[in-house]
Amino acid sequence: GLQLAGTSAHVYIEHDVPDCDVQRLERAVRALVARHDALRACVTEDGQLHVLPDVPAYEVAVLDLRGRDPAPAQRELDRVREEMTHQGPPGVLL
């Protein structure tokens, strides 16, 4: 009997990972999503929970600031941090 607020919960965590193998990370996330139903779950507008059999392959967004002047690179990082700390994922409704 509770009304959905239209806001998804989210957590913003930042890691500094030198030499991150992005393709390997994507494969790991995709395997995790394939294995755990809850990561493919969505709620319909009438409140019904559905587990999708498959979802689009997750792609890690990369912002490569290597080689940029430090001040503009820092401003870009600050902009991304501000955006991501206040922006949760969209709610998934069928």
Side-chain angles (χ1 to χ4, degrees), residues 8-72:
S8 298
H10 75 286
V11 174
Y12 173 77
I13 300 173
E14 187 173 316
H15 298 280
D16 186 9
V17 184
D19 302 320
C20 178
D21 183 339
V22 175
Q23 291 177 335
R24 184 175 177 200
L25 177 60
E26 285 180 337
R27 287 192 305 271
V29 170
R30 291 172 186 170
L32 190 66
V33 170
R35 181 178 174 106
H36 295 285
D37 291 352
L39 298 176
R40 297 185 316 278
C42 60
V43 179
T44 61
E45 288 190 29
D46 64 353
Q48 297 296 309
L49 178 69
H50 291 272
V51 175
L52 302 174
D54 55 80
V55 294
Y58 183 79
E59 294 182 13
V60 174
V62 175
L63 175 62
D64 188 352
L65 298 174
R66 292 177 291 185
R68 302 262 305 262
D69 288 333

Short mmCIF file of all heavy atoms in Angstrom, two decimals, residues 8-72:
data_model
loop_
_atom_site.label_atom_id
_atom_site.label_comp_id
_atom_site.label_asym_id
_atom_site.label_seq_id
_atom_site.Cartn_x
_atom_site.Cartn_y
_atom_site.Cartn_z
N SER A 8 15.28 6.03 -7.33
CA SER A 8 16.02 4.80 -7.07
C SER A 8 17.09 5.05 -6.02
O SER A 8 17.70 6.11 -5.98
CB SER A 8 16.70 4.32 -8.35
OG SER A 8 15.75 4.02 -9.34
N ALA A 9 17.33 4.06 -5.19
CA ALA A 9 18.42 4.15 -4.23
C ALA A 9 19.74 3.97 -4.97
O ALA A 9 19.80 3.25 -5.97
CB ALA A 9 18.26 3.07 -3.17
N HIS A 10 20.77 4.63 -4.50
CA HIS A 10 22.08 4.45 -5.12
C HIS A 10 23.19 4.79 -4.14
O HIS A 10 22.95 5.42 -3.12
CB HIS A 10 22.21 5.31 -6.38
CG HIS A 10 22.43 6.76 -6.10
ND1 HIS A 10 21.44 7.60 -5.66
CD2 HIS A 10 23.55 7.52 -6.18
CE1 HIS A 10 21.93 8.82 -5.51
NE2 HIS A 10 23.21 8.80 -5.80
N VAL A 11 24.36 4.32 -4.46
CA VAL A 11 25.55 4.61 -3.68
C VAL A 11 26.62 5.04 -4.66
O VAL A 11 26.79 4.42 -5.72
CB VAL A 11 26.03 3.37 -2.90
CG1 VAL A 11 27.34 3.63 -2.21
CG2 VAL A 11 24.98 2.91 -1.91
N TYR A 12 27.33 6.08 -4.34
CA TYR A 12 28.44 6.53 -5.16
C TYR A 12 29.73 6.20 -4.43
O TYR A 12 29.94 6.63 -3.30
CB TYR A 12 28.35 8.04 -5.42
CG TYR A 12 29.57 8.58 -6.13
CD1 TYR A 12 29.74 8.38 -7.48
CD2 TYR A 12 30.55 9.28 -5.44
CE1 TYR A 12 30.87 8.85 -8.15
CE2 TYR A 12 31.67 9.77 -6.09
CZ TYR A 12 31.82 9.55 -7.44
OH TYR A 12 32.94 10.02 -8.08
N ILE A 13 30.56 5.39 -5.06
CA ILE A 13 31.85 5.02 -4.50
C ILE A 13 32.89 5.24 -5.60
O ILE A 13 32.67 4.89 -6.75
CB ILE A 13 31.88 3.55 -4.06
CG1 ILE A 13 30.82 3.30 -3.00
CG2 ILE A 13 33.26 3.17 -3.54
CD1 ILE A 13 30.65 1.85 -2.63
N GLU A 14 34.00 5.80 -5.20
CA GLU A 14 35.06 6.09 -6.17
C GLU A 14 36.31 5.33 -5.77
O GLU A 14 36.69 5.32 -4.61
CB GLU A 14 35.33 7.59 -6.17
CG GLU A 14 36.26 8.04 -7.23
CD GLU A 14 36.34 9.56 -7.28
OE1 GLU A 14 35.29 10.22 -7.20
OE2 GLU A 14 37.46 10.06 -7.39
N HIS A 15 36.93 4.68 -6.75
CA HIS A 15 38.16 3.93 -6.52
C HIS A 15 39.21 4.40 -7.52
O HIS A 15 38.91 4.58 -8.70
CB HIS A 15 37.96 2.42 -6.71
CG HIS A 15 36.99 1.82 -5.76
ND1 HIS A 15 37.33 1.50 -4.47
CD2 HIS A 15 35.69 1.49 -5.90
CE1 HIS A 15 36.28 0.98 -3.86
NE2 HIS A 15 35.27 0.97 -4.70
N ASP A 16 40.41 4.55 -7.06
CA ASP A 16 41.53 4.85 -7.93
C ASP A 16 42.22 3.52 -8.22
O ASP A 16 42.83 2.92 -7.32
CB ASP A 16 42.50 5.83 -7.25
CG ASP A 16 43.60 6.29 -8.18
OD1 ASP A 16 43.55 6.00 -9.40
OD2 ASP A 16 44.53 6.94 -7.69
N VAL A 17 42.09 3.02 -9.44
CA VAL A 17 42.62 1.71 -9.80
C VAL A 17 43.58 1.88 -10.98
O VAL A 17 43.16 1.85 -12.14
CB VAL A 17 41.49 0.73 -10.17
CG1 VAL A 17 42.05 -0.66 -10.45
CG2 VAL A 17 40.43 0.69 -9.08
N PRO A 18 44.85 2.04 -10.66
CA PRO A 18 45.83 2.15 -11.75
C PRO A 18 45.83 0.85 -12.57
O PRO A 18 45.68 -0.23 -12.03
CB PRO A 18 47.16 2.33 -11.03
CG PRO A 18 46.82 2.74 -9.65
CD PRO A 18 45.47 2.15 -9.35
N ASP A 19 45.96 1.00 -13.86
CA ASP A 19 46.05 -0.16 -14.76
C ASP A 19 44.82 -1.07 -14.69
O ASP A 19 44.94 -2.29 -14.81
CB ASP A 19 47.32 -0.96 -14.49
CG ASP A 19 48.58 -0.11 -14.64
OD1 ASP A 19 48.62 0.70 -15.58
OD2 ASP A 19 49.48 -0.25 -13.81
N CYS A 20 43.65 -0.50 -14.49
CA CYS A 20 42.42 -1.29 -14.46
C CYS A 20 42.17 -1.91 -15.84
O CYS A 20 42.22 -1.22 -16.86
CB CYS A 20 41.23 -0.42 -14.08
SG CYS A 20 39.66 -1.28 -14.07
N ASP A 21 41.91 -3.20 -15.87
CA ASP A 21 41.56 -3.90 -17.11
C ASP A 21 40.04 -3.77 -17.27
O ASP A 21 39.28 -4.57 -16.71
CB ASP A 21 42.00 -5.35 -17.03
CG ASP A 21 41.74 -6.13 -18.30
OD1 ASP A 21 40.88 -5.72 -19.11
OD2 ASP A 21 42.40 -7.18 -18.48
N VAL A 22 39.60 -2.76 -18.00
CA VAL A 22 38.17 -2.45 -18.11
C VAL A 22 37.40 -3.61 -18.74
O VAL A 22 36.30 -3.94 -18.29
CB VAL A 22 37.95 -1.14 -18.90
CG1 VAL A 22 36.47 -0.88 -19.12
CG2 VAL A 22 38.59 0.03 -18.17
N GLN A 23 37.95 -4.24 -19.74
CA GLN A 23 37.25 -5.36 -20.37
C GLN A 23 37.06 -6.52 -19.39
O GLN A 23 36.00 -7.16 -19.36
CB GLN A 23 37.99 -5.82 -21.62
CG GLN A 23 37.92 -4.79 -22.73
CD GLN A 23 38.72 -5.22 -23.96
OE1 GLN A 23 39.65 -6.00 -23.88
NE2 GLN A 23 38.33 -4.68 -25.10
N ARG A 24 38.06 -6.78 -18.58
CA ARG A 24 37.94 -7.84 -17.58
C ARG A 24 36.89 -7.48 -16.53
O ARG A 24 36.10 -8.33 -16.10
CB ARG A 24 39.30 -8.08 -16.93
CG ARG A 24 39.31 -9.21 -15.96
CD ARG A 24 40.72 -9.46 -15.45
NE ARG A 24 40.72 -10.52 -14.46
CZ ARG A 24 41.66 -10.71 -13.59
NH1 ARG A 24 42.73 -9.93 -13.57
NH2 ARG A 24 41.59 -11.68 -12.72
N LEU A 25 36.87 -6.22 -16.11
CA LEU A 25 35.87 -5.75 -15.16
C LEU A 25 34.47 -5.91 -15.74
O LEU A 25 33.55 -6.37 -15.05
CB LEU A 25 36.14 -4.28 -14.78
CG LEU A 25 35.12 -3.63 -13.86
CD1 LEU A 25 35.02 -4.36 -12.53
CD2 LEU A 25 35.49 -2.16 -13.65
N GLU A 26 34.28 -5.54 -17.00
CA GLU A 26 32.97 -5.70 -17.64
C GLU A 26 32.55 -7.16 -17.67
O GLU A 26 31.39 -7.48 -17.39
CB GLU A 26 33.00 -5.15 -19.07
CG GLU A 26 32.98 -3.65 -19.14
CD GLU A 26 33.01 -3.11 -20.56
OE1 GLU A 26 33.48 -3.81 -21.48
OE2 GLU A 26 32.58 -1.97 -20.74
N ARG A 27 33.47 -8.05 -18.00
CA ARG A 27 33.13 -9.49 -18.02
C ARG A 27 32.71 -9.97 -16.63
O ARG A 27 31.75 -10.74 -16.49
CB ARG A 27 34.31 -10.32 -18.53
CG ARG A 27 34.55 -10.19 -20.01
CD ARG A 27 35.53 -11.24 -20.54
NE ARG A 27 36.82 -11.24 -19.86
CZ ARG A 27 37.87 -10.51 -20.21
NH1 ARG A 27 37.78 -9.69 -21.25
NH2 ARG A 27 39.00 -10.60 -19.54
N ALA A 28 33.40 -9.49 -15.60
CA ALA A 28 33.06 -9.89 -14.23
C ALA A 28 31.67 -9.38 -13.84
O ALA A 28 30.87 -10.12 -13.25
CB ALA A 28 34.12 -9.37 -13.26
N VAL A 29 31.37 -8.13 -14.16
CA VAL A 29 30.05 -7.57 -13.84
C VAL A 29 28.96 -8.31 -14.60
O VAL A 29 27.92 -8.66 -14.03
CB VAL A 29 29.99 -6.05 -14.14
CG1 VAL A 29 28.57 -5.53 -14.03
CG2 VAL A 29 30.92 -5.29 -13.20
N ARG A 30 29.19 -8.61 -15.86
CA ARG A 30 28.21 -9.34 -16.66
C ARG A 30 27.96 -10.74 -16.09
O ARG A 30 26.82 -11.21 -16.03
CB ARG A 30 28.67 -9.41 -18.11
CG ARG A 30 28.63 -8.07 -18.80
CD ARG A 30 29.27 -8.12 -20.16
NE ARG A 30 29.33 -6.78 -20.74
CZ ARG A 30 30.00 -6.49 -21.82
NH1 ARG A 30 30.68 -7.41 -22.49
NH2 ARG A 30 30.01 -5.24 -22.28
N ALA A 31 29.02 -11.41 -15.65
CA ALA A 31 28.87 -12.74 -15.04
C ALA A 31 28.08 -12.66 -13.75
O ALA A 31 27.24 -13.52 -13.46
CB ALA A 31 30.25 -13.37 -14.80
N LEU A 32 28.32 -11.62 -12.96
CA LEU A 32 27.60 -11.42 -11.71
C LEU A 32 26.11 -11.20 -11.96
O LEU A 32 25.26 -11.80 -11.31
CB LEU A 32 28.20 -10.22 -10.97
CG LEU A 32 27.75 -9.99 -9.54
CD1 LEU A 32 28.23 -11.12 -8.64
CD2 LEU A 32 28.29 -8.66 -9.04
N VAL A 33 25.80 -10.37 -12.94
CA VAL A 33 24.40 -10.09 -13.29
C VAL A 33 23.72 -11.36 -13.81
O VAL A 33 22.57 -11.64 -13.47
CB VAL A 33 24.31 -8.95 -14.32
CG1 VAL A 33 22.90 -8.81 -14.88
CG2 VAL A 33 24.76 -7.63 -13.69
N ALA A 34 24.43 -12.14 -14.61
CA ALA A 34 23.85 -13.38 -15.13
C ALA A 34 23.57 -14.38 -14.01
O ALA A 34 22.59 -15.13 -14.07
CB ALA A 34 24.80 -13.99 -16.16
N ARG A 35 24.40 -14.39 -13.00
CA ARG A 35 24.28 -15.37 -11.92
C ARG A 35 23.22 -15.01 -10.88
O ARG A 35 22.58 -15.88 -10.30
CB ARG A 35 25.63 -15.53 -11.23
CG ARG A 35 25.63 -16.54 -10.12
CD ARG A 35 27.02 -16.67 -9.52
NE ARG A 35 26.99 -17.53 -8.37
CZ ARG A 35 27.46 -18.77 -8.35
NH1 ARG A 35 27.98 -19.29 -9.43
NH2 ARG A 35 27.40 -19.49 -7.25
N HIS A 36 23.02 -13.72 -10.62
CA HIS A 36 22.15 -13.30 -9.52
C HIS A 36 20.88 -12.62 -10.05
O HIS A 36 20.92 -11.52 -10.58
CB HIS A 36 22.90 -12.36 -8.58
CG HIS A 36 24.04 -13.04 -7.90
ND1 HIS A 36 23.86 -13.92 -6.87
CD2 HIS A 36 25.38 -13.00 -8.13
CE1 HIS A 36 25.04 -14.39 -6.48
NE2 HIS A 36 25.97 -13.85 -7.23
N ASP A 37 19.76 -13.30 -9.83
CA ASP A 37 18.46 -12.80 -10.31
C ASP A 37 18.13 -11.40 -9.84
O ASP A 37 17.55 -10.61 -10.57
CB ASP A 37 17.34 -13.74 -9.85
CG ASP A 37 17.36 -15.09 -10.54
OD1 ASP A 37 18.15 -15.27 -11.50
OD2 ASP A 37 16.58 -15.97 -10.12
N ALA A 38 18.49 -11.08 -8.61
CA ALA A 38 18.13 -9.77 -8.05
C ALA A 38 18.73 -8.62 -8.86
O ALA A 38 18.18 -7.52 -8.85
CB ALA A 38 18.58 -9.66 -6.59
N LEU A 39 19.82 -8.87 -9.56
CA LEU A 39 20.45 -7.82 -10.37
C LEU A 39 19.75 -7.64 -11.72
O LEU A 39 20.09 -6.74 -12.47
CB LEU A 39 21.94 -8.13 -10.57
CG LEU A 39 22.74 -8.17 -9.26
CD1 LEU A 39 24.18 -8.58 -9.54
CD2 LEU A 39 22.68 -6.83 -8.55
N ARG A 40 18.75 -8.49 -11.99
CA ARG A 40 17.94 -8.35 -13.21
C ARG A 40 16.47 -8.11 -12.86
O ARG A 40 15.59 -8.25 -13.70
CB ARG A 40 18.08 -9.61 -14.07
CG ARG A 40 19.47 -9.87 -14.57
CD ARG A 40 19.52 -11.07 -15.52
NE ARG A 40 18.74 -12.23 -15.09
CZ ARG A 40 19.16 -13.15 -14.21
NH1 ARG A 40 20.34 -13.04 -13.65
NH2 ARG A 40 18.39 -14.16 -13.89
N ALA A 41 16.21 -7.77 -11.62
CA ALA A 41 14.84 -7.58 -11.16
C ALA A 41 14.34 -6.18 -11.47
O ALA A 41 15.11 -5.22 -11.46
CB ALA A 41 14.74 -7.85 -9.66
N CYS A 42 13.07 -6.08 -11.74
CA CYS A 42 12.42 -4.78 -11.94
C CYS A 42 11.01 -4.86 -11.40
O CYS A 42 10.48 -5.94 -11.17
CB CYS A 42 12.45 -4.38 -13.41
SG CYS A 42 11.61 -5.52 -14.49
N VAL A 43 10.41 -3.72 -11.21
CA VAL A 43 9.07 -3.63 -10.65
C VAL A 43 8.18 -2.94 -11.66
O VAL A 43 8.53 -1.88 -12.20
CB VAL A 43 9.08 -2.84 -9.32
CG1 VAL A 43 7.67 -2.73 -8.75
CG2 VAL A 43 10.02 -3.50 -8.32
N THR A 44 7.01 -3.52 -11.92
CA THR A 44 6.05 -2.92 -12.84
C THR A 44 5.34 -1.77 -12.15
O THR A 44 5.41 -1.62 -10.93
CB THR A 44 5.02 -3.95 -13.33
OG1 THR A 44 4.31 -4.44 -12.20
CG2 THR A 44 5.69 -5.10 -14.07
N GLU A 45 4.63 -0.97 -12.92
CA GLU A 45 3.90 0.17 -12.34
C GLU A 45 2.87 -0.28 -11.33
O GLU A 45 2.53 0.47 -10.41
CB GLU A 45 3.26 1.00 -13.45
CG GLU A 45 4.29 1.79 -14.24
CD GLU A 45 3.64 2.79 -15.19
OE1 GLU A 45 2.54 3.27 -14.89
OE2 GLU A 45 4.28 3.08 -16.21
N ASP A 46 2.36 -1.51 -11.48
CA ASP A 46 1.38 -2.00 -10.51
C ASP A 46 2.03 -2.73 -9.33
O ASP A 46 1.35 -3.37 -8.54
CB ASP A 46 0.33 -2.88 -11.19
CG ASP A 46 0.91 -4.16 -11.78
OD1 ASP A 46 2.16 -4.32 -11.80
OD2 ASP A 46 0.12 -5.01 -12.24
N GLY A 47 3.35 -2.61 -9.19
CA GLY A 47 4.04 -3.14 -8.04
C GLY A 47 4.48 -4.59 -8.13
O GLY A 47 4.94 -5.15 -7.13
N GLN A 48 4.34 -5.21 -9.28
CA GLN A 48 4.74 -6.61 -9.44
C GLN A 48 6.24 -6.69 -9.72
O GLN A 48 6.77 -5.95 -10.54
CB GLN A 48 3.97 -7.26 -10.59
CG GLN A 48 2.47 -7.31 -10.36
CD GLN A 48 2.12 -8.17 -9.18
OE1 GLN A 48 2.55 -9.31 -9.07
NE2 GLN A 48 1.32 -7.62 -8.27
N LEU A 49 6.90 -7.63 -9.05
CA LEU A 49 8.33 -7.86 -9.24
C LEU A 49 8.53 -8.88 -10.35
O LEU A 49 7.89 -9.92 -10.37
CB LEU A 49 8.96 -8.37 -7.95
CG LEU A 49 10.44 -8.71 -8.02
CD1 LEU A 49 11.27 -7.43 -8.19
CD2 LEU A 49 10.88 -9.45 -6.77
N HIS A 50 9.42 -8.56 -11.29
CA HIS A 50 9.76 -9.47 -12.38
C HIS A 50 11.28 -9.59 -12.46
O HIS A 50 12.00 -8.60 -12.29
CB HIS A 50 9.25 -8.94 -13.72
CG HIS A 50 7.77 -8.97 -13.84
ND1 HIS A 50 7.08 -10.07 -14.30
CD2 HIS A 50 6.84 -8.04 -13.53
CE1 HIS A 50 5.78 -9.81 -14.28
NE2 HIS A 50 5.61 -8.58 -13.81
N VAL A 51 11.74 -10.80 -12.72
CA VAL A 51 13.16 -11.02 -12.97
C VAL A 51 13.31 -11.24 -14.47
O VAL A 51 12.72 -12.15 -15.05
CB VAL A 51 13.70 -12.24 -12.19
CG1 VAL A 51 15.15 -12.51 -12.57
CG2 VAL A 51 13.57 -12.00 -10.69
N LEU A 52 14.08 -10.36 -15.10
CA LEU A 52 14.28 -10.46 -16.54
C LEU A 52 15.22 -11.62 -16.84
O LEU A 52 16.22 -11.82 -16.13
CB LEU A 52 14.86 -9.16 -17.08
CG LEU A 52 14.02 -7.91 -16.81
CD1 LEU A 52 14.76 -6.66 -17.26
CD2 LEU A 52 12.68 -8.02 -17.51
N PRO A 53 14.95 -12.41 -17.89
CA PRO A 53 15.83 -13.54 -18.20
C PRO A 53 17.22 -13.08 -18.64
O PRO A 53 18.21 -13.75 -18.38
CB PRO A 53 15.11 -14.27 -19.33
CG PRO A 53 14.11 -13.31 -19.86
CD PRO A 53 13.81 -12.32 -18.79
N ASP A 54 17.27 -11.95 -19.29
CA ASP A 54 18.57 -11.38 -19.67
C ASP A 54 18.40 -9.87 -19.82
O ASP A 54 17.30 -9.37 -19.96
CB ASP A 54 19.10 -12.00 -20.98
CG ASP A 54 18.11 -11.90 -22.11
OD1 ASP A 54 18.02 -10.81 -22.72
OD2 ASP A 54 17.42 -12.88 -22.38
N VAL A 55 19.49 -9.18 -19.73
CA VAL A 55 19.50 -7.72 -19.84
C VAL A 55 20.64 -7.31 -20.77
O VAL A 55 21.55 -8.10 -21.02
CB VAL A 55 19.67 -7.05 -18.45
CG1 VAL A 55 18.48 -7.32 -17.56
CG2 VAL A 55 20.95 -7.51 -17.78
N PRO A 56 20.62 -6.09 -21.27
CA PRO A 56 21.74 -5.65 -22.11
C PRO A 56 23.07 -5.75 -21.36
O PRO A 56 23.13 -5.56 -20.15
CB PRO A 56 21.41 -4.19 -22.42
CG PRO A 56 19.92 -4.08 -22.23
CD PRO A 56 19.58 -5.06 -21.14
N ALA A 57 24.10 -6.05 -22.10
CA ALA A 57 25.44 -6.19 -21.50
C ALA A 57 25.86 -4.87 -20.87
O ALA A 57 25.76 -3.81 -21.48
CB ALA A 57 26.44 -6.63 -22.56
N TYR A 58 26.34 -4.94 -19.64
CA TYR A 58 26.79 -3.75 -18.93
C TYR A 58 28.11 -3.27 -19.53
O TYR A 58 29.00 -4.06 -19.81
CB TYR A 58 26.98 -4.05 -17.44
CG TYR A 58 27.36 -2.83 -16.65
CD1 TYR A 58 26.41 -1.90 -16.27
CD2 TYR A 58 28.68 -2.58 -16.31
CE1 TYR A 58 26.75 -0.76 -15.57
CE2 TYR A 58 29.04 -1.45 -15.61
CZ TYR A 58 28.07 -0.55 -15.24
OH TYR A 58 28.42 0.58 -14.56
N GLU A 59 28.20 -1.98 -19.73
CA GLU A 59 29.43 -1.37 -20.24
C GLU A 59 29.92 -0.34 -19.23
O GLU A 59 29.16 0.51 -18.79
CB GLU A 59 29.19 -0.70 -21.59
CG GLU A 59 28.83 -1.69 -22.69
CD GLU A 59 28.65 -1.03 -24.04
OE1 GLU A 59 29.03 0.16 -24.19
OE2 GLU A 59 28.11 -1.69 -24.93
N VAL A 60 31.20 -0.45 -18.88
CA VAL A 60 31.81 0.49 -17.94
C VAL A 60 32.14 1.78 -18.69
O VAL A 60 32.80 1.75 -19.72
CB VAL A 60 33.09 -0.11 -17.33
CG1 VAL A 60 33.82 0.91 -16.47
CG2 VAL A 60 32.76 -1.37 -16.53
N ALA A 61 31.65 2.90 -18.18
CA ALA A 61 31.97 4.19 -18.77
C ALA A 61 33.39 4.59 -18.36
O ALA A 61 33.75 4.45 -17.19
CB ALA A 61 30.98 5.25 -18.32
N VAL A 62 34.17 5.04 -19.30
CA VAL A 62 35.55 5.41 -19.02
C VAL A 62 35.76 6.88 -19.41
O VAL A 62 35.40 7.30 -20.50
CB VAL A 62 36.53 4.53 -19.82
CG1 VAL A 62 37.97 4.99 -19.63
CG2 VAL A 62 36.38 3.07 -19.42
N LEU A 63 36.33 7.63 -18.48
CA LEU A 63 36.72 9.01 -18.74
C LEU A 63 38.22 9.07 -18.55
O LEU A 63 38.71 9.06 -17.43
CB LEU A 63 36.01 9.97 -17.78
CG LEU A 63 36.42 11.43 -17.86
CD1 LEU A 63 36.11 12.00 -19.24
CD2 LEU A 63 35.73 12.23 -16.77
N ASP A 64 38.95 9.09 -19.64
CA ASP A 64 40.41 9.04 -19.59
C ASP A 64 40.96 10.46 -19.62
O ASP A 64 40.89 11.15 -20.64
CB ASP A 64 40.94 8.23 -20.77
CG ASP A 64 42.43 7.96 -20.68
OD1 ASP A 64 43.10 8.52 -19.80
OD2 ASP A 64 42.92 7.17 -21.52
N LEU A 65 41.51 10.90 -18.50
CA LEU A 65 42.04 12.25 -18.39
C LEU A 65 43.57 12.26 -18.39
O LEU A 65 44.18 13.29 -18.12
CB LEU A 65 41.52 12.93 -17.13
CG LEU A 65 40.01 13.11 -17.07
CD1 LEU A 65 39.58 13.65 -15.73
CD2 LEU A 65 39.52 14.00 -18.19
N ARG A 66 44.17 11.12 -18.71
CA ARG A 66 45.63 11.07 -18.76
C ARG A 66 46.13 12.03 -19.82
O ARG A 66 45.55 12.18 -20.89
CB ARG A 66 46.10 9.66 -19.10
CG ARG A 66 45.84 8.66 -17.99
CD ARG A 66 46.24 7.29 -18.40
NE ARG A 66 45.32 6.83 -19.45
CZ ARG A 66 45.33 5.62 -19.98
NH1 ARG A 66 46.21 4.73 -19.59
NH2 ARG A 66 44.45 5.29 -20.90
N GLY A 67 47.21 12.71 -19.50
CA GLY A 67 47.81 13.63 -20.45
C GLY A 67 47.17 15.01 -20.48
O GLY A 67 47.64 15.89 -21.20
N ARG A 68 46.10 15.22 -19.73
CA ARG A 68 45.45 16.53 -19.68
C ARG A 68 46.16 17.40 -18.65
O ARG A 68 46.74 16.91 -17.70
CB ARG A 68 43.98 16.39 -19.30
CG ARG A 68 43.15 15.52 -20.21
CD ARG A 68 42.34 16.28 -21.24
NE ARG A 68 41.45 17.29 -20.75
CZ ARG A 68 40.14 17.12 -20.55
NH1 ARG A 68 39.57 15.97 -20.75
NH2 ARG A 68 39.42 18.13 -20.14
N ASP A 69 46.08 18.70 -18.85
CA ASP A 69 46.61 19.63 -17.86
C ASP A 69 45.89 19.38 -16.53
O ASP A 69 44.68 19.14 -16.51
CB ASP A 69 46.40 21.07 -18.31
CG ASP A 69 47.30 21.45 -19.47
OD1 ASP A 69 48.40 20.84 -19.60
OD2 ASP A 69 46.91 22.34 -20.25
N PRO A 70 46.62 19.45 -15.41
CA PRO A 70 46.02 19.12 -14.11
C PRO A 70 44.79 19.94 -13.74
O PRO A 70 43.81 19.38 -13.25
CB PRO A 70 47.16 19.36 -13.12
CG PRO A 70 48.40 19.21 -13.93
CD PRO A 70 48.05 19.72 -15.30
N ALA A 71 44.79 21.23 -13.93
CA ALA A 71 43.65 22.06 -13.50
C ALA A 71 42.37 21.71 -14.27
O ALA A 71 41.33 21.48 -13.65
CB ALA A 71 43.98 23.54 -13.63
N PRO A 72 42.39 21.66 -15.62
CA PRO A 72 41.17 21.27 -16.33
C PRO A 72 40.74 19.83 -16.02
O PRO A 72 39.55 19.55 -15.93
CB PRO A 72 41.55 21.40 -17.81
CG PRO A 72 42.73 22.30 -17.84
CD PRO A 72 43.44 22.10 -16.54
#
